[in-house]
Amino acid sequence: MTPSQPHRPKYLQEDDISQKCRDLLPLLPREKGWITTSIYQYQGFWYSPQILSSVLACQDHFQAQDTDVLLITAPKSGTTWLKAILFCILNRAELSGSMQHHPLLTQSPHNLVPFLESQLYLEQEIPNLASFASPRLFATHLPYHLFPTSVKDSGCKLVYLCRNPKDTFVSFWHFANKMRSKGTGEMPLEECLDAFCRGTSPFGPYWDHVQGYYKASSEMPERVLFLRYEDLKEDPHVHVKRLADFLGCPLGKQELMDGTVDGILRMCSFDSLKALEVNKSGELSTGIETNWFFRKGEVGDWLNYISVEMGERIDRVMQEKMHGSGLKL
Ligand code: PAP
């Protein structure tokens, strides 16, 4: 880095990619990026160069274990919230009685439950995952059919969370602008909407992402749990119990009576997490500020940013692309 160049966060370092990715890029369809200059289409989905480089590394090197739990989302579908909830559910035995020293009070959900391609394999081509205790809990935005075979062949559990596409879009637009604030300036909303509806959003097309997991959960309900952000909002208690059952660690009679679920939901609520110093002023190793993950956390906020007509445009595309899937968002 020369003295005149400002520090560029990892996610904007477009030339920091593997040779394999460098060789692949000229062969791939290219579009204007939301955060980086360009995004590229690989096996049907769109990625920035750095993320594609780490997707390739993840495909080549990630070895799933039968006991692994993977949380999967399209970006801005409620990942941070469900990372926190899953961490609490899976670690509640060791952490019971130590709510004042709970790891979520001092660490970002994104450090406790790191993304495979957007953190671990972005930082190192072959990260050392040996320090993760079983059951290992990772997150990813990878589309279902891009998973390395070890994920599909193992008995690991997949939890997928989707969200109303209009709220997802608006949330992503805000997030992209935060990320661009360290680089290239705001991207016009109309331009982003156009790209979203053409499917050229990072990890898009959104409808293909969601449908891949919806189909997998219909075919393998014991391995893939399909959830919606709006349902989680409406009845979080039911979903915490459902998640614990699915993960093979159901809540015991005592836990159902002693307020365990309430404690988890309080700890993971938008207001509690947002108020913590680590989530107000922290920064992930990729350069992303932790406060960018906590904006409003509401259902239906899209109406404050896009017109009814713009919303109808998203609805029309979703209806057309998901026709016959049995899924309505
Ligand atoms: P990621 O996929 O990049 O990790 P993700 O956590 O899915 O991001 O997206 C952040 C969204 O989840 C934000 O939505 P908004 O822009 O519509 O506000 C954020 O506010 C929301 N969110 C974060 N934490 C919570 C929470 N504890 N409860 C509900 N929503 C939350």
Side-chain angles (χ1 to χ4, degrees):
M1 194 165 72
T2 63
S4 58
Q5 280 179 314
H7 168 68
R8 286 177 79 73
K10 178 85 182 157
Y11 64 84
L12 287 177
Q13 293 170 16
E14 300 187 44
D15 48 1
D16 188 9
I17 57 175
S18 66
Q19 191 58 46
K20 181 174 177 177
C21 185
R22 208 174 292 281
D23 293 343
L24 186 61
L25 289 183
L27 310 174
L28 301 178
R30 184 160 71 108
E31 285 277 347
K32 184 176 173 191
W34 288 36
I35 295 151
T36 51
T37 316
S38 305
I39 52 173
Y40 295 83
Q41 190 184 38
Y42 173 67
Q43 297 186 350
F45 290 83
W46 294 88
Y47 309 94
S48 68
Q50 314 91 300
I51 294 292
L52 179 57
S53 186
S54 66
V55 165
L56 297 173
C58 186
Q59 284 184 317
D60 285 347
H61 303 295
F62 179 65
Q63 288 297 323
Q65 298 175 359
D66 287 342
T67 49
D68 285 349
V69 175
L70 299 185
L71 164 62
I72 309 120
T73 52
K76 306 300 139 201
S77 302
T79 328
T80 312
W81 187 21
L82 199 49
K83 278 186 176 190
I85 291 177
L86 285 171
F87 181 85
C88 286
I89 293 175
L90 285 172
N91 294 289
R92 68 187 192 276
E94 298 92 88
L95 296 171
S96 71
S98 61
M99 279 321 214
Q100 295 95 321
H101 305 289
H102 197 284
L104 274 169
L105 296 175
T106 50
Q107 294 181 64
S108 158
H110 293 285
N111 283 336
L112 293 171
V113 186
F115 284 111
L116 291 174
E117 78 295 335
S118 306
Q119 283 171 269
L120 296 169
Y121 286 87
L122 189 65
E123 283 151 20
Q124 282 179 303
E125 192 174 354
I126 309 182
N128 180 5
L129 306 183
S131 61
F132 286 83
S134 171
R136 304 185 305 178
L137 176 55
F138 300 118
T140 180
H141 293 316
L142 271 181
Y144 182 72
H145 81 265
L146 261 81
F147 267 138
T149 46
S150 78
V151 172
K152 293 180 178 162
D153 293 347
S154 78
C156 72
K157 303 258 184 185
L158 311 183
V159 177
Y160 186 78
L161 181 68
C162 73
R163 187 180 187 188
N164 177 303
K166 299 191 282 287
D167 281 335
T168 306
F169 165 72
V170 165
S171 182
F172 205 166
W173 177 70
H174 277 104
F175 191 81
N177 284 333
K178 292 276 186 197
M179 293 183 92
R180 288 167 70 94
S181 66
K182 292 194 181 179
T184 40
E186 193 162 298
M187 183 155 164
L189 184 78
E190 291 73 16
E191 198 182 323
C192 258
L193 179 73
D194 202 48
F196 188 80
C197 290
R198 284 188 293 116
T200 57
S201 51
F203 296 95
Y206 182 74
W207 47 87
D208 285 339
H209 202 284
V210 179
Q211 282 184 106
Y213 287 96
Y214 186 68
K215 187 164 175 285
S217 78
S218 316
E219 291 166 358
M220 298 175 290
E222 67 298 338
R223 281 206 55 212
V224 187
L225 182 66
F226 187 93
L227 301 176
R228 295 158 200 265
Y229 179 90
E230 294 75 18
D231 295 342
L232 206 56
K233 274 266 180 194
E234 196 172 309
D235 202 342
H237 286 78
V238 163
H239 285 86
V240 168
K241 289 178 207 143
R242 207 173 151 206
L243 279 161
D245 287 343
F246 174 74
L247 297 174
C249 53
L251 291 142
K253 260 192 198 148
Q254 178 66 27
E255 288 179 306
L256 288 171
M257 290 186 318
D258 69 6
T260 298
V261 178
D262 282 336
I264 290 175
L265 291 173
R266 248 195 327 273
M267 169 74 73
C268 302
S269 76
F270 180 83
D271 290 341
S272 308
L273 290 178
K274 188 183 165 87
L276 293 168
E277 201 50 45
V278 66
N279 297 323
K280 278 200 293 200
S281 58
E283 190 174 289
L284 302 182
S285 57
T286 47
I288 293 176
E289 294 181 23
T290 51
N291 66 78
W292 296 351
F293 294 100
F294 301 92
R295 195 180 62 90
K296 285 193 182 171
E298 290 170 4
V299 173
D301 183 50
W302 65 270
L303 264 172
N304 295 317
Y305 294 92
I306 60 175
S307 65
V308 172
E309 290 73 32
M310 288 164 131
E312 284 170 353
R313 183 171 169 206
I314 296 181
D315 287 341
R316 267 197 309 278
V317 175
M318 296 302 288
Q319 270 162 20
E320 183 196 316
K321 302 288 184 186
M322 307 223 297
H323 184 72
S325 70
L327 176 65
K328 258 188 150 183
L329 291 176

